[in-house]
Amino acid sequence: GENVEQHPSTLSVQEGDSAVIKCTYSDSASNYFPWYKQELGKGPQLIIDIRSNVGEKKDQRIAVTLNKTAKHFSLHITETQPEDSAVYFCAAKATGTASKLTFGTGTRLQVTL
Amino acid sequence: EAQVTQNPRYLITVTGKKLTVTCSQNMNHEYMSWYRQDPGLGLRQIYYSMNVEVTDKGDVPEGYKVSRKEKRNFPLILESPSPNQTSLYFCASSLGVGHRGYTFGSGTRLTVV
């Protein structure tokens, strides 16, 4: 089955700096890669996703890049703000009714003033 | 408001005492799933359901049961809870396995003593 590795497990950046979280996946059939943000006491919330026919997607201060050949994808947050502090999860999924979303182990991002 | 509702939010119980965590969604989603979240392990799937009366095991199903008698409800049952089932549990739903994104509930923190 699919295996998703996520790094780093913790990340501390100063407000205004950029943050990058990286994930690798094992199943070459995976073609959907969402990112979730989990704030304290809440469930994960989808913030951005990318499909394998696209190399990069951007939404304001967040962007995701995908390298299918190397089987890795990354989340980039620019101009970080204190409200970006949260746990971020990457995930991967292949098409097909039997496939499921496999999550990485999470990255705790701390944005300091 | 479109949402996934889990109850209870917090639960402390004793080993062996059967319990049920309820999950309900109001979005007419076909796909529902249960995850447990443990430090350093990310989100691991327990069970999922692709439609009414259709359920299947995820990655860590031992010690859990589920049922899907109605489209909106997907309860998680622990027949004989043990301390290693102490965890944070999330229910999630989606229009279909192939559809983008899951909507997560707010979580149930379970402690088994």
Side-chain angles (χ1 to χ4, degrees):
Chain A
E2 175 66 276
N3 181 50
V4 177
E5 295 191 357
Q6 182 172 349
H7 299 281
S9 56
T10 60
L11 179 60
S12 182
V13 300
Q14 282 202 315
E15 184 179 6
D17 288 350
S18 295
V20 180
I21 302 170
K22 299 181 179 181
C23 289
T24 60
Y25 61 98
S26 61
D27 188 352
S28 56
S30 288
N31 60 0
Y32 175 63
F33 307 93
W35 285 88
Y36 286 82
K37 177 183 181 182
Q38 185 182 22
E39 296 176 331
L40 199 61
K42 297 184 180 179
Q45 187 171 14
L46 179 69
I47 55 170
I48 194 167
D49 56 11
I50 191 168
R51 294 193 183 273
S52 59
N53 57 348
V54 176
E56 183 174 358
K57 184 176 178 181
K58 194 172 181 181
D59 183 3
Q60 298 182 340
R61 294 187 299 107
I62 61 172
V64 58
T65 58
L66 171 65
N67 183 328
K68 278 190 66 178
T69 304
K71 288 194 267 189
H72 66 70
F73 57 112
S74 301
L75 178 72
H76 304 253
I77 306 174
T78 58
E79 300 171 21
T80 53
Q81 300 167 4
E83 52 264 39
D84 294 328
S85 295
V87 178
Y88 292 82
F89 290 98
C90 63
K93 192 179 81 63
T95 53
T97 56
S99 66
K100 66 176 176 68
L101 209 52
T102 300
F103 287 86
T105 50
T107 296
R108 182 173 297 278
L109 173 64
Q110 180 76 41
V111 180
T112 57
L113 297 172
Chain B
E1 181 190 351
Q3 59 186 356
V4 176
T5 303
Q6 290 179 233
N7 280 297
R9 288 295 307 273
Y10 301 92
L11 179 59
I12 301 174
T13 190
V14 295
T15 299
K17 186 177 181 182
K18 180 180 178 180
L19 67 91
T20 299
V21 183
T22 64
C23 174
S24 179
Q25 50 93 4
N26 62 359
M27 297 166 282
N28 202 35
H29 283 173
E30 290 185 349
Y31 183 85
M32 297 186 75
S33 182
W34 277 102
Y35 285 85
R36 61 178 287 173
Q37 182 178 3
D38 301 289
L41 297 176
L43 291 154
R44 295 180 294 166
Q45 191 179 53
I46 303 170
Y47 268 95
Y48 65 95
S49 168
M50 290 197 280
N51 215 324
V52 176
E53 302 292 0
V54 180
T55 64
D56 210 343
K57 296 177 181 178
D59 296 319
V60 288
E62 294 78 21
Y64 305 95
K65 284 174 60 176
V66 293
S67 69
R68 188 91 182 273
K69 297 190 173 90
E70 310 161 278
K71 199 170 188 178
R72 62 184 291 127
N73 296 323
F74 190 45
L76 179 70
I77 303 154
L78 284 72
E79 294 269 1
S80 182
S82 63
N84 64 11
Q85 291 178 298
T86 292
S87 187
L88 180 58
Y89 292 87
F90 287 101
C91 180
S93 74
S94 172
L95 270 176
V97 175
H99 193 268
R100 74 183 285 267
Y102 288 8
T103 301
F104 281 84
S106 297
T108 295
R109 185 165 292 282
L110 172 66
T111 301
V112 184
V113 297

